[in-house]
Amino acid sequence: MPNRQIAVNVNFAYLALDNTCAMREFCHMDKSTPNRIREFREEAEMTIEELAEATGLSVSYVSRLEKGERNLSLRNLNLFAHALDKRPHDLLLEDRSDDRNVVAVMGRIAAGAEISPDEEQVPPEGLYEIETPFPIPDDAIAFEVSGESMWPRYDPGDIIICWRQSVIPEEVVGWEAAVKTSDGSRYLKRVLRGSTQGTYDLESHNAAPIRGVSLLWVAAIQSVIRSGQWRKMNSSQRHSMVRKMMNAR
């Protein structure tokens, strides 16, 4: 099965080789920010059906991406760039006035156990905030790997970045994702189709699989920040950064 972490790292490396600005552009893409997919599709005289076929995505999904109604993941960014014969960062807009290198950590993950603490115990602003080495979109959240039980997949202290906005489970089948099951449990698992329609199996390294569960929330993994590449922010640092961001506007 595909390795989500390797795939993500490969995509980040691809963008970095093209242009460091591309990394900056992508990391700040969110659901309210339009992209240039439709512009380049029409320039190439392609129908939306032809573009969907070229990328392997559905027509409705491509339409929502064109309208900026869905996040444009790194994987899809490269798919569209190849289909439209453009560089990945060409698909992204240049105006990024709200750059922020801060993301809230919403829980800790260890082996196949649930993400802790319980969601009800996590304040809206998260357990704490960290400063990251690249800009983070407003709708991103993070989870910290706790202990060594997830090695060799992840090291203790690694930060896993996900979108807060849920996607449909079918979009992440075969990949790792942060999920919330119908009983309220949260996990970082590889999502597979279950034996009955509408259910899914959850697998992870060093843990028994969970079979036939319904998913209420599914957050695709967008990147992994290695231990030592991020810094926990205290309240005074956070207030200082907020003032800096406000003064820059």
Side-chain angles (χ1 to χ4, degrees):
M1 297 300 293
N3 184 314
R4 179 69 174 183
Q5 183 177 341
I6 292 176
V8 168
N9 289 340
V10 168
N11 280 328
F12 266 93
Y14 181 85
L15 287 179
L17 287 172
D18 193 348
N19 193 316
T20 56
C21 180
M23 172 72 77
R24 181 183 180 90
E25 297 280 2
F26 166 76
C27 288
H28 214 76
M29 171 78 60
D30 64 32
K31 64 182 180 180
S32 63
T33 304
N35 54 64
R36 304 180 68 187
I37 293 175
R38 181 175 180 178
E39 173 188 341
F40 289 133
R41 174 177 64 79
E42 293 177 344
E43 180 182 287
E45 298 183 348
M46 295 178 68
T47 65
I48 195 168
E49 291 80 9
E50 289 171 336
L51 183 55
E53 182 178 358
T55 57
L57 302 172
S58 69
V59 173
S60 62
Y61 190 62
V62 172
S63 176
R64 296 180 70 182
L65 285 171
E66 285 191 347
K67 296 174 183 177
E69 295 176 355
R70 297 302 301 269
N71 291 313
L72 181 59
S73 69
L74 280 167
R75 174 177 176 272
N76 289 340
L77 181 66
N78 286 330
L79 286 176
F80 282 108
H82 179 74
L84 295 167
D85 194 23
K86 299 291 182 180
R87 295 174 299 179
H89 71 266
D90 289 339
L91 300 178
L92 307 175
L93 301 182
E94 296 181 359
D95 183 17
R96 295 292 181 268
S97 59
D98 298 327
D99 289 352
R100 61 195 299 269
N101 289 57
V102 177
V103 66
V105 174
M106 305 301 291
R108 299 180 178 89
I109 310 168
E114 293 181 42
I115 296 174
S116 64
D118 293 338
E119 188 175 20
E120 292 75 15
Q121 298 175 311
V122 180
E125 65 275 16
L127 300 176
Y128 53 87
E129 292 181 317
I130 64 170
E131 186 176 0
T132 63
F134 49 78
I136 297 292
D138 290 337
D139 62 344
I141 56 175
F143 300 98
E144 181 182 355
V145 175
S146 177
E148 299 181 351
S149 58
M150 295 183 71
W151 189 88
R153 297 286 290 119
Y154 303 102
D155 293 320
D158 284 355
I159 294 291
I160 298 169
I161 305 292
C162 304
W163 296 127
R164 186 185 300 269
Q165 179 186 7
S166 179
V167 299
I168 61 174
E170 286 297 313
E171 292 183 19
V172 296
V173 167
W175 301 101
E176 284 184 346
V179 302
K180 180 179 178 180
T181 60
S182 56
D183 66 359
S185 301
R186 298 183 301 160
Y187 300 95
L188 177 70
K189 298 280 188 178
R190 184 153 57 94
V191 180
L192 302 174
R193 292 186 181 90
S195 58
T196 59
Q197 186 175 5
T199 67
Y200 297 88
D201 295 342
L202 306 177
E203 296 184 350
S204 61
H205 184 68
N206 292 337
I210 301 174
R211 304 294 187 191
V213 296
S214 299
L215 301 180
L216 301 179
W217 174 77
V218 181
I221 296 176
Q222 295 300 323
S223 61
V224 177
I225 304 176
R226 289 304 187 183
S227 176
Q229 297 180 345
W230 58 271
R231 180 169 63 92
K232 185 184 292 188
M233 300 185 66
N234 57 41
S235 58
S236 62
Q237 290 172 323
R238 175 57 177 157
H239 293 157
S240 176
M241 177 167 286
V242 170
R243 287 196 301 269
K244 182 179 179 181
M245 290 168 59
M246 295 300 294
N247 292 335
R249 295 182 178 181

